[in-house]
């Protein structure tokens, strides 16, 4: 692909036999299980500002729900310093692993390759799983279980966010025009599936998406309350005059490797279309209602109201196909991964038209539905019986259990039934090896090689301390492939920190003289 | 900091699934060559899931 992207996944946490898990304590402790040694805070929070909006302003406060405000008040009494609570770790693979709003979050390093991203995302699952095993041993209470899902079925949602670097010059209206119809409808193949509805009528039905019912506005900078279909947080972690970081919060966390690749790949191609000002002519009458209706539609017709003469109903598959057709026309043959995405996208849409159940083993929502339906048949469970519904939700939860010996997704995978895109060896390697050719490599390898000299770190800056002096490396420009290659080469060749900093200085100076600095 | 975590368990190789990098197959991505999973194992495992697991599972709002 021709774009930097990454995934951030917040995990759910519970302990067998414990009715009320202290998620603040457990999330913090789980992350610390990654290390054998003491926690040393390195993350540089000064460069973060989630209140800045892409539309050119900054809000005074972010909206949190009332529940969250009560929790924040209570947590103040714990007297745990902020950096201790966050427990931010940076892993040699370039990822950030930390406590985000009481959820262990694994944020992959920046990737250029789609299958590389899948391996990094799965490596995050493995890291979380190992930490859960260590925490289980430490606690001696019950098994610590970690879930890669997005809800507790009681109205508390947490995210799996996607990040895509894109051209700052693209007008925001065009971004909205492209993303609203695409995001409202892409859940037909990348939804994770959910038993039940958590808001309003609490209907006992199966939904395509875990997250769809939590979105209330078209665009805003918020992420926890009144969630927007298009999040406008403006933290590019790159040169802000040239780039935006599209921070996508509408997606579900996926277990399926295939869906993770298709979700990110198709979205990256749609961003390519937006940048090229080449979009299908669909404007949804109400994107938020469309998203919720598609998730709840038991007929699988997924009709969406689009603007136009006398408003008309269009199947979500047709809207997705319009994006696919343009992407194929513009980008087919560009590179292998692009062709894979075009082929996978086409295949999935064809099966959704014919019979969605042909996607058992491929798409999460379909596979989970198949499992739940079989189980209901076996056990004579009824959707309108609240106790039965809880059991079904428990199965839903277990589908996303990252323990490969007990999770339902992994039981299917061990039987060879889930489509695989990366090997277990690649995933194991990705637990400590950063993605190639990006600044994630520079971040991860810098820590591995000169970690004892790193005094702070963030996505776009590393500060080394050397002989009592600080040397800050600004990585904002390391989104350019050629430039990052120079930096990574210098890092690979240096044997000492002095040699590394001197060589880096030379590279920075020569790039500046060449007009690239 | 640890020198990365090593996965502490043996892994079981699985049959290759749909096309991955390097695959230039002419059709769409294929499903693994298994007609239907072994439902006996699955149902046995699903019966062991605590019916109240979801009822107890309470999280805080995240992002």
């Amino acid at each position: 692909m021709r774009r930097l992207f990454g995934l951030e996944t917040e995990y759910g946490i519970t302990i067998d036999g414990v009715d009320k898990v202290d998620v603040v304590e457990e999330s913090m402790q789980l992350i610390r299980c990654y290390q054998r040694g003491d926690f040393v805070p390195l993350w540089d929070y000064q460069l973060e500002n989630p209140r800045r909006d892409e539309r050119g302003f900054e809000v005074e406060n972010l909206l949190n729900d009332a529940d969250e405000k009560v929790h924040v008040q209570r947590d103040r009494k714990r007297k745990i310093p902020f950096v201790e609570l966050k427990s931010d770790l940076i892993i040699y693979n370039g990822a950030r692993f930390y406590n985000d709003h009481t959820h262990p979050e694994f944020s992959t390093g920046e990737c250029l390759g789609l299958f590389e991203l899948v391996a990094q995302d799965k490596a995050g699952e493995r890291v979380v799983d190992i930490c859960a095993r260590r925490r289980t041993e430490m606690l001696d209470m019950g098994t610590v279980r970690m879930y890669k899902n997005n809800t507790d079925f009681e109205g508390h949602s947490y995210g799996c966010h996607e990040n895509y670097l894109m051209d700052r010059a693209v007008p925001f209206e065009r971004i909205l025009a492209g993303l609203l119809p695409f995001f409202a409808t892409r859940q037909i193949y990348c939804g994770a599936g959910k038993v039940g509805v958590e808001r309003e009528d609490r209907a006992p039905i199966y939904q395509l998406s875990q997250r769809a019912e939590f979105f209330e506005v078209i665009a805003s900078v918020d992420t926890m309350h009144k969630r927007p279909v298009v999040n406008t947080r403006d933290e590019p972690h790159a040169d802000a005059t040239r780039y935006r970081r599209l921070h996508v919060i509408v997606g579900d966390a996926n277990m399926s490797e295939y869906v993770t690749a298709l979700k990110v790949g198709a979205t990256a191609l749609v961003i390519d279309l937006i940048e090229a000002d080449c979009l299908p002519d669909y404007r949804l009458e109400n994107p938020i209602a469309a998203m919720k209706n598609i998730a709840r539609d038991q007929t699988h017709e997924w009709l969406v109201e689009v603007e136009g003469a006398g408003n008309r109903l269009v199947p979500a598959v047709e809207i997705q196909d319009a994006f696919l057709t343009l992407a194929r026309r513009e980008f087919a043959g560009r590179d292998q991964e692009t062709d894979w995405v075009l082929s996978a996208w086409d295949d999935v849409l064809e099966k959704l038209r014919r019979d969605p159940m042909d996607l058992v083993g491929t798409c999460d929502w379909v596979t989970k539905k198949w499992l739940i339906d079989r189980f209901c048949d076996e056990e004579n469970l009824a959707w309108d019986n609240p106790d039965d519904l809880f059991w079904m939700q428990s199965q839903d939860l277990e589908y996303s259990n990252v323990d490969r010996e007990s999770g339902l997704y992994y039981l299917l995978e061990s039987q060879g039934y889930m489509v695989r895109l990366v090997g277990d060896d690649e995933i194991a390697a990705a637990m400590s090896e950063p993605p190639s050719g990006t600044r994630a490599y520079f971040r991860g390898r810098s820590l591995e090689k000169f970690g004892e000299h790193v005094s702070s770190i963030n996505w776009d800056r590393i500060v080394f301390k050397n002989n009592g002096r600080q040397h800050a490396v600004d990585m904002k420009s390391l989104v350019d492939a050629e430039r990052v290659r120079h930096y990574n080469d210098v890092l690979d060749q240096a044997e000492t920190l002095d040699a590394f900093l001197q060589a880096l200085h030379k590279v920075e100076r020569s790039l500046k003289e060449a007009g690239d600095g | 900091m640890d020198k990365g975590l090593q996965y502490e368990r043996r892994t079981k190789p699985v049959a290759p699934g749909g096309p991955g990098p390097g695959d230039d197959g002419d059709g769409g991505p294929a499903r693994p060559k298994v007609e239907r999973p072994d439902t006996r194992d699955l149902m046995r495992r699903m019966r062991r899931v605590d019916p109240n697991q979801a009822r107890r599972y309470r999280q805080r709002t995240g992002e």
Side-chain angles (χ1 to χ4, degrees), chain A residues 206-247:
Chain A
Y206 187 80
Q207 296 198 79
L208 258 58
S209 161
Q210 299 236 318
R211 291 273 278 178
E213 64 175 305
F214 292 103
F215 288 84
E216 298 175 63
V217 301
I218 296 293
S220 97
V221 73
D222 288 292
T223 55
M224 294 179 76
H225 190 54
K226 292 201 178 302
R227 291 188 182 91
V229 180
V230 176
N231 181 238
T232 53
R233 179 184 292 179
D234 191 13
E235 285 186 310
H237 300 310
D239 180 352
T241 63
R242 295 176 61 198
Y243 299 105
R244 295 175 197 272
R245 174 175 61 110
L246 186 68
H247 184 231

Side-chain angles (χ1 to χ4, degrees), chain A residues 187-452:
Chain A
Q187 62 180 303
I188 60 176
Y189 52 84
C190 61
K194 178 167 74 173
V195 172
V197 175
E198 299 174 63
R199 293 181 162 192
E200 297 164 4
D201 64 352
R202 297 179 72 98
I205 57 172
Y206 187 80
Q207 296 198 79
L208 258 58
S209 161
Q210 299 236 318
R211 291 273 278 178
E213 64 175 305
F214 292 103
F215 288 84
E216 298 175 63
V217 301
I218 296 293
S220 97
V221 73
D222 288 292
T223 55
M224 294 179 76
H225 190 54
K226 292 201 178 302
R227 291 188 182 91
V229 180
V230 176
N231 181 238
T232 53
R233 179 184 292 179
D234 191 13
E235 285 186 310
H237 300 310
D239 180 352
T241 63
R242 295 176 61 198
Y243 299 105
R244 295 175 197 272
R245 174 175 61 110
L246 186 68
H247 184 231
V248 176
I249 69 168
V250 289
D252 291 354
N254 293 108
M255 298 298 290
S256 161
E257 296 174 6
Y258 185 93
V259 172
T260 296
L262 179 55
K263 173 176 71 178
V264 174
T267 305
L269 292 182
V270 167
I271 297 168
D272 286 341
L273 290 174
I274 291 170
E275 287 179 340
D277 198 7
C278 176
L279 291 169
D281 188 20
Y282 283 118
R283 289 177 67 90
L284 305 191
E285 185 64 27
N286 184 338
I288 296 161
M291 201 153 81
K292 292 177 182 178
N293 291 339
I294 289 170
R296 293 175 62 125
D297 184 1
Q298 304 298 293
T299 70
H300 297 166
E301 291 177 358
W302 305 310
L303 298 175
V304 180
E305 202 174 353
V306 300
E307 287 182 4
N311 286 349
R312 58 195 182 104
L313 294 174
V314 175
V317 174
E318 189 180 309
I319 293 174
Q320 282 291 317
D321 194 52
F323 280 102
L324 168 62
T325 301
L326 286 177
R328 190 189 291 118
R329 190 189 76 192
E330 296 293 316
F331 311 124
R334 192 173 66 175
D335 55 73
Q336 267 189 343
E337 289 193 345
T338 295
D339 284 348
W340 182 89
V341 174
L342 294 169
S343 169
W345 200 356
D346 185 48
D347 186 64
V348 161
L349 294 183
E350 179 53 35
K351 285 175 174 146
L352 287 169
R353 278 190 201 97
R354 198 172 57 214
D355 179 3
M357 298 316 286
D358 284 349
L359 291 164
V360 175
T362 303
C363 290
D364 285 316
W365 79 261
V366 183
T367 308
K368 191 188 286 180
K369 178 173 168 38
W370 178 85
L371 274 177
I372 303 273
D373 286 348
R374 295 286 77 69
F375 189 66
C376 287
D377 287 348
E378 286 274 326
E379 299 296 318
N380 291 316
L381 302 185
W383 283 81
D384 56 0
N385 178 328
D387 286 336
D388 289 356
L389 196 72
F390 272 123
W391 204 5
M392 288 182 227
Q393 287 177 329
S394 301
Q395 307 295 345
D396 182 341
L397 199 52
E398 283 305 311
Y399 179 86
S400 56
N401 184 345
V402 298
D403 181 346
R404 292 197 293 164
E405 285 167 0
S406 62
L408 292 179
Y409 170 86
Y410 280 111
L411 184 54
L412 285 165
E413 188 189 277
S414 71
Q415 293 178 353
Y417 201 65
M418 298 306 301
V419 177
R420 299 294 307 269
L421 297 182
V422 291
D424 287 332
D425 54 341
E426 291 169 87
I427 296 169
M431 289 168 68
S432 55
E433 288 175 17
S436 56
T438 73
R439 70 181 179 191
Y441 184 93
F442 190 81
R443 184 185 310 113
R445 285 281 188 259
S446 289
L447 270 177
E448 185 174 3
K449 219 164 171 175
F450 303 117
E452 70 271 29

Side-chain angles (χ1 to χ4, degrees), chain B:
Chain B
M1 190 175 291
D2 278 1
K3 162 75 179 164
L5 291 167
Q6 299 301 311
Y7 206 67
E8 294 158 340
R9 197 179 59 163
R10 282 188 190 171
T11 57
K12 181 176 161 186
V14 295
D23 188 303
D24 56 358
D26 50 7
R31 207 195 288 174
K33 307 287 183 231
V34 179
E35 280 309 307
R36 277 286 181 254
D38 181 344
T39 54
R40 283 169 308 176
D41 267 6
L42 276 170
M43 293 302 124
R44 205 176 299 130
R45 166 74 190 101
M46 291 175 86
R47 265 182 223 110
R48 288 206 307 268
V49 171
D50 179 350
N52 291 312
Q53 179 83 334
R55 207 192 296 255
R56 278 201 309 273
Y57 182 69
R58 290 294 166 260
Q59 304 293 301
R60 288 196 191 175
T61 297
E63 288 202 291

Side-chain angles (χ1 to χ4, degrees), chain A residues 471 490 496-508:
Chain A
H471 185 101
V490 163
T496 65
L497 182 67
D498 274 333
F500 169 55
L501 293 176
Q502 280 174 23
L504 205 56
H505 182 65
K506 273 187 195 167
V507 166
E508 284 170 340

